[in-house]
Amino acid sequence: MDNNLYVDFLVYSLVGFAIMIVGLLLFELTTKNKEFALIFKGNVAAALSLGGRLAGLAIVVRAAAENSVSLSDMLLWGVIGIVALVILYYVTEFITYLFGKALKVNVTIFKAIEQNNIAVGILILLISCSVGMIIAGCLTYEPDLIG
């Protein structure tokens, strides 16, 4: 048996988990809601929102581990996944604001999560997983896909 296989598995797994932990910390630091505090108070919407972003990131990390040509390549794509999901959160907040303004409803994702609006939590979960799948699907080095 090849011992490098086990070492590679361990190293890639540890890097994947590290990306997830950094992502979790950055998700918590970059949103207005302090979702951990809300979750421990029983806020389901916050758990769905944060869990969805973690699931979206996990999808990206899996694809990065599967398709990357090196450990640094996997790490780079993990960072891209984190940044994309943070940006996505703010884009979604902005789009929600615009829809609310057009419908003459004063609503934001921040307020909805704070008020434990489970529907909004599910929406963020599904958008985050969808973005994770799109990024993961684009993570390839197959030269024939574009040309």
Side-chain angles (χ1 to χ4, degrees):
M1 292 205 158
D2 186 5
N3 285 337
N4 286 339
L5 176 68
Y6 300 113
V7 172
D8 287 347
F9 166 77
L10 183 62
V11 171
Y12 273 77
S13 295
L14 290 174
V15 168
F17 294 134
I19 291 168
M20 294 297 294
I21 291 167
V22 168
L24 178 65
L25 293 172
L26 288 175
F27 295 154
E28 181 70 9
L29 291 172
T30 59
T31 57
K32 290 181 185 179
N33 300 97
K34 295 306 158 212
E35 290 170 316
F36 266 110
L38 292 172
I39 290 167
F40 287 111
K41 292 178 183 175
N43 187 311
V44 176
L48 290 167
S49 174
L50 183 59
R53 283 180 278 147
L54 284 173
L57 181 56
I59 293 166
V60 173
V61 169
R62 179 200 177 271
E66 187 175 40
N67 294 305
S68 61
V69 294
S70 67
L71 196 58
S72 60
D73 189 43
M74 177 190 168
L75 186 60
L76 172 66
W77 283 109
V79 169
I80 289 169
I82 292 169
V83 171
L85 287 162
V86 168
I87 291 170
L88 162 81
Y89 185 87
Y90 285 101
V91 168
T92 306
E93 178 78 52
F94 180 69
I95 290 170
T96 303
Y97 169 77
L98 290 179
F99 274 113
K101 193 170 183 174
L103 298 170
K104 295 182 174 49
V105 178
N106 188 13
V107 64
T108 64
I109 291 173
F110 167 73
K111 288 180 189 175
I113 297 294
E114 189 100 346
Q115 296 168 351
N116 198 18
N117 185 326
I118 295 172
V120 172
I122 292 171
L123 178 65
I124 297 299
L125 180 145
L126 293 173
I127 290 172
S128 298
C129 287
S130 299
V131 167
M133 286 190 267
I134 290 168
I135 293 169
C138 296
L139 252 168
T140 182
Y141 291 101
E142 295 291 327
D144 295 335
L145 289 180
I146 296 175

